[in-house]
Amino acid sequence: MCGIVGYIGERDIKNRLIEGLRELEYRGYDSAGIAVMQDGRIESFKAVGKLLNLEEKTKNFSTDGHGVGIGHTRWATHGKPTELNAHPHMGEYSYVVHNGIIENYREIKGMLEKEGITFLSQTDTEVIVHLFEKEAEREDDLFSAFKATIELLDGAYAVLLVTKKAPDTIFFARKGSPMIIGRNSRGEIFFASSDAPLIGEAEEVSYMKDGTVGFVTSETIHTEGDELQFVPLAGDKMTAQKGGYRFFMEKEIYEQYDVMSDTMIGRVLDRDIHFEEIDEEFLKGISRIKLCACGTSYHAALTSSYLFERLSKIPVNVEIASEFRYKEPLLTDDTLFIVISQSGETADTLEALKMAKEAGLKTLAICNVDNSSIVRLADASILTRAGIEKGVASTKAFATQVMVLWMLSLYFAKKRGSLSEERIQEEIKYMNYVPKVLQKSLEVHEKCKRLSKRYLHGHGFFFIGRDIFFPLALEGALKLKEISYLHAEGYPAGEMKHGPIALADAELFTIALMPKTLLYDKTKSNVEELSARDSTILSISPEMFDLADDFILTHPHNHPMLEFFEMMIVEQLLAMEIAIRLGNDVDMPRNLAKSVTVE
Ligand code: M6R
């Protein structure tokens, strides 16, 4: 995903920008560029490929004394990874870098072209700089022109803009794509897409809210609307990277709102689903899907099996990679073999992928790490764009895997004509709502914290749910097991009476996932059966349930997947708070590794 940096200060600007971009390399990119402004002159450099190429191009360039700069790593969405398409994009006298997607860029471009403006690139971003210069002709001052420009943009953006007409200024705006501003006592100002480039440079930072628009000079930071809230940024990398959270897991739970927008950008379009990684040709001859993964990724696969069958009307089966390898599976070449892995290095999943390839199957990887072994081996791969996940207990990687799989099932539905256009549009409408569902809920977090002290003993936990809430129950139980070391199981709610109900007593904790949009009454009956046998019930539902001992109230939604994502966060927070109360190392639980490269 694209990365943005900005700098105002006395030190060599090029070095600051390139070092900042290096810290953002993990986001993935295919070209990079910078624009440096000093004494009213702007120099810009761009290069395709790795940062080394940009360094090579700029090796004879340096600055001395005060100046301003912006930089960008581009991950191509509109237009190929070429130098012309790389950022910064220039107008007559201004330069812009942008992360996100301007959804109405075609209309704006058409309008500007009619006014005689020539575009050099195929990107959506270039409209911003031309629009700004057009507005600057009309408006009294440059900030008004910048604000007017931003108001005309639909979509997601983090934008930095510099112009020769305001030599000591960076204009900035954020909506839907992350951006942080930092400052220090030397009077330096920094911008970045994540805190990594700011560590050791900025002393305090502000995580900009959506809708922030402003400008900064060496003298002043000005924003419209909410004031920026600055918080200290720890100097040591480890503490600083946690961004004020107690654990990486906690930070990663809260990051889900931002990363989900990244996952969707360029894929969930206004009225369509698009994957540049695959096309119709790729799906030719496919009449079934086999999904294969381990652990949390397996739960994402299982969730999607309901979606693929329901939406794409394609038969699906799901395999645990370590089982699949030794069962002498029967593989037919009309099967698309999809592997799912956060790390892309899980030995069992990698070996299963090799088997499928050897059997001549088409293979697709859904993965968070570009250039990992699984990505390199699969015929095609779709990156989940969750950013680095440090907590051993997977959170944001799971959320983005499920999202990609939901998008993929809709993509298949469209290509196979298995859903009406109206239904497709409805699914897209709800997909666009997911980031909002993932927004911080301090109230729910507080409730999980309070409940955690009641759920520390007992002889075990059953997470129960039906349909897609069954894999979510499995995931809730796995999260709790991994970090609290308490025994937990995930079970289909309707299966409890076929055996496990024998365990029911007051010391058995049942965490009941009770969505209103899917099989509510059925799940309720199953929970009643457990309550009648004295099990302690914690219900997670938008509806109060009088037989529950405790409840966490979720928001009412009109789509099961929205309920799914909200309940997922509740499970993550609950597991984390129980583990914290038990004094466990939440990020590095005993006996576990982040990447399991042994079979
Ligand atoms: O990197 P992968 O997604 O392939 O890893 C698979 C499992 O090892 C992983 O999901 C594991 O279960 C997590 N620790 C769960 O939180």
Side-chain angles (χ1 to χ4, degrees):
M1 291 308 297
C2 304
I4 283 190
V5 294
Y7 174 73
I8 299 184
E10 305 281 330
R11 286 186 288 164
D12 184 87
I13 302 161
K14 174 196 81 179
N15 288 347
R16 295 278 72 67
L17 296 176
I18 291 185
E19 274 165 32
L21 291 177
R22 189 165 295 114
E23 294 288 344
L24 296 177
E25 276 190 302
Y26 74 88
R27 295 169 69 87
Y29 66 103
D30 34 47
S31 59
I34 57 171
V36 175
M37 179 162 67
Q38 224 184 6
D39 306 324
R41 282 195 14 249
I42 301 186
E43 299 275 356
S44 174
F45 304 88
K46 302 178 188 194
V48 173
K50 292 290 157 200
L51 273 179
L52 272 180
N53 302 342
L54 184 64
E55 279 181 282
E56 184 56 31
K57 274 202 158 173
T58 54
K59 68 176 183 227
N60 298 321
F61 175 79
S62 61
T63 57
D64 192 12
H66 188 79
V68 164
I70 54 177
H72 190 266
T73 43
R74 173 172 186 255
W75 188 85
T77 53
H78 294 73
K80 293 202 160 45
T82 60
E83 240 175 67
L84 272 184
N85 287 334
H87 303 211
H89 289 287
M90 61 174 187
E92 293 282 315
Y93 51 86
S94 318
Y95 286 74
V96 73
V97 292
H98 159 231
N99 174 11
I101 291 214
I102 307 301
E103 284 164 8
N104 59 339
Y105 86 100
R106 279 198 190 85
E107 291 94 292
I108 300 176
K109 192 169 176 177
M111 185 259 290
L112 291 168
E113 277 173 337
K114 274 195 203 129
E115 295 193 29
I117 288 169
T118 311
F119 281 77
L120 297 176
S121 76
Q122 300 157 302
T123 65
D124 53 337
T125 301
E126 197 183 341
V127 298
I128 303 173
V129 70
H130 296 304
L131 202 52
F132 168 74
E133 294 187 352
K134 263 266 140 306
E135 292 297 331
E137 289 169 12
R138 281 193 268 266
E139 298 283 350
D140 294 340
D141 65 277
L142 291 169
F143 184 46
S144 302
F146 184 69
K147 276 190 297 180
T149 304
I150 297 301
E151 268 164 32
L152 291 169
L153 306 179
D154 288 341
Y157 47 78
V159 174
L160 297 181
L161 182 141
V162 292
T163 172
K164 284 183 195 171
K165 296 210 166 167
D168 185 33
T169 310
I170 298 180
F171 295 95
F172 59 88
R174 180 225 147 130
K175 188 183 133 208
S177 294
M179 188 151 65
I180 306 169
I181 180 169
R183 63 187 179 193
N184 63 22
S185 48
R186 289 195 292 200
E188 291 176 305
I189 306 283
F190 304 86
F191 289 91
S193 304
S194 76
D195 46 19
L198 305 179
I199 297 162
E201 299 284 357
E203 287 152 13
E204 46 177 23
V205 292
S206 171
Y207 298 87
M208 277 183 213
K209 286 193 190 150
D210 264 353
T212 306
V213 51
F215 66 88
V216 53
T217 68
S218 42
E219 307 287 303
T220 179
I221 298 178
H222 175 83
T223 52
E224 206 73 359
D226 284 353
E227 289 244 323
L228 294 174
Q229 302 295 325
F230 279 88
V231 291
L233 182 69
D236 88 274
K237 252 193 159 41
M238 205 58 155
T239 319
Q241 282 170 351
K242 285 187 199 154
Y245 292 98
R246 296 165 291 174
F247 296 95
F248 281 111
M249 182 185 178
E250 186 174 27
K251 182 178 181 224
E252 286 155 8
I253 292 172
Y254 278 114
E255 260 169 14
Q256 292 178 111
Y257 163 70
D258 273 329
V259 299
M260 195 54 94
S261 307
D262 282 351
T263 303
M264 294 164 67
I265 271 176
R267 293 170 174 168
V268 183
L269 310 178
D270 229 7
R271 302 185 58 77
D272 204 3
I273 297 286
H274 171 76
F275 283 104
E276 64 176 20
E277 301 86 344
I278 51 173
D279 54 20
E280 252 155 82
E281 191 53 36
F282 189 73
L283 302 187
K284 246 195 198 142
I286 297 299
S287 52
R288 60 190 68 243
I289 294 176
K290 202 179 262 298
L291 294 146
C292 189
C294 300
T296 285
S297 300
Y298 168 74
H299 299 153
L302 210 54
T303 307
S304 74
S305 66
Y306 292 82
L307 304 175
F308 276 116
E309 296 210 339
R310 195 164 282 149
L311 302 178
S312 339
K313 309 284 181 233
I314 187 164
V316 175
N317 95 318
V318 189
E319 306 268 4
I320 291 179
S322 54
E323 286 299 307
F324 171 80
R325 289 178 61 188
Y326 302 103
K327 72 190 277 204
E328 299 181 25
L330 295 176
L331 299 173
T332 52
D333 60 12
D334 62 341
T335 305
L336 174 62
F337 194 82
I338 306 182
V339 284
I340 303 159
S341 173
Q342 187 286 128
S343 61
E345 302 298 343
T346 302
D348 283 317
T349 312
L350 183 60
E351 289 307 315
L353 175 62
K354 284 183 192 160
M355 282 170 61
K357 283 209 77 160
E358 272 157 30
L361 268 60
K362 253 185 213 165
T363 58
L364 172 67
I366 293 175
C367 190
N368 194 33
V369 181
D370 200 3
N371 291 316
S372 56
S373 307
I374 285 177
V375 166
R376 278 184 277 121
L377 189 66
D379 297 327
S381 49
I382 298 178
L383 294 178
T384 48
R385 307 175 183 164
I388 296 173
E389 189 180 65
K390 292 215 162 154
V392 165
S394 187
T395 52
K396 60 178 182 170
F398 172 71
T400 53
Q401 286 169 345
V402 172
M403 189 67 197
V404 164
L405 287 159
W406 182 18
M407 287 165 2
L408 200 60
S409 63
L410 204 58
Y411 179 84
F412 271 58
K414 184 137 189 165
K415 299 290 171 217
R416 292 166 58 82
S418 59
L419 277 191
S420 69
E421 189 54 32
E422 197 187 349
R423 179 72 202 283
I424 289 177
Q425 293 313 320
E426 198 176 282
E427 291 288 306
I428 291 178
K429 180 179 97 191
Y430 287 118
M431 273 177 185
N432 278 316
Y433 206 75
V434 171
K436 286 197 189 72
V437 172
L438 298 173
Q439 250 162 353
K440 251 187 205 147
S441 172
L442 296 175
E443 231 170 82
V444 169
H445 195 159
E446 207 37 57
K447 180 93 197 214
C448 290
K449 227 180 246 176
R450 259 184 295 127
L451 284 177
S452 65
K453 55 177 177 263
R454 306 207 330 103
Y455 288 87
L456 297 175
H457 27 73
H459 58 71
F461 286 77
F462 267 90
F463 284 71
I464 60 168
R466 280 174 171 259
D467 203 280
I468 51 172
F469 295 88
F470 160 51
L472 188 62
L474 290 173
E475 177 58 10
L478 180 64
K479 285 293 84 87
L480 187 66
K481 274 190 275 228
E482 281 187 292
I483 57 177
S484 73
Y485 319 141
L486 295 170
H487 179 72
E489 279 189 62
Y491 230 77
E495 267 293 294
M496 291 299 283
K497 57 184 165 299
H498 298 289
I501 205 166
L503 292 167
D505 63 20
E507 298 302 301
L508 180 78
F509 298 143
T510 300
I511 315 289
L513 305 180
M514 303 177 70
K516 265 311 267 185
T517 50
L518 203 59
L519 301 171
Y520 180 78
D521 290 329
K522 301 266 173 222
T523 314
K524 194 170 158 210
S525 313
N526 302 139
V527 181
E528 277 164 2
E529 288 152 16
L530 283 153
S531 161
R533 282 148 189 93
D534 230 12
S535 172
T536 299
I537 314 278
L538 164 57
S539 93
I540 304 177
S541 178
E543 182 142 318
M544 288 286 206
F545 175 48
D546 49 9
L547 295 180
D549 299 86
D550 293 301
F551 20 70
I552 297 179
L553 273 186
T554 50
H555 294 93
H557 294 294
N558 292 324
H559 193 289
M561 288 305 288
L562 300 183
E563 296 208 85
F564 179 99
F565 282 113
E566 189 170 349
M567 290 185 186
M568 172 201 76
I569 292 210
V570 173
E571 288 184 340
Q572 294 167 345
L573 290 171
L574 187 67
M576 185 185 76
E577 288 304 332
I578 292 176
I580 293 175
R581 210 169 270 281
L582 290 166
N584 297 347
D585 184 341
V586 168
D587 286 332
M588 276 182 279
R590 70 184 185 203
N591 307 338
L592 297 178
K594 185 69 190 157
S595 177
V596 186
T597 52
V598 291
E599 67 165 290

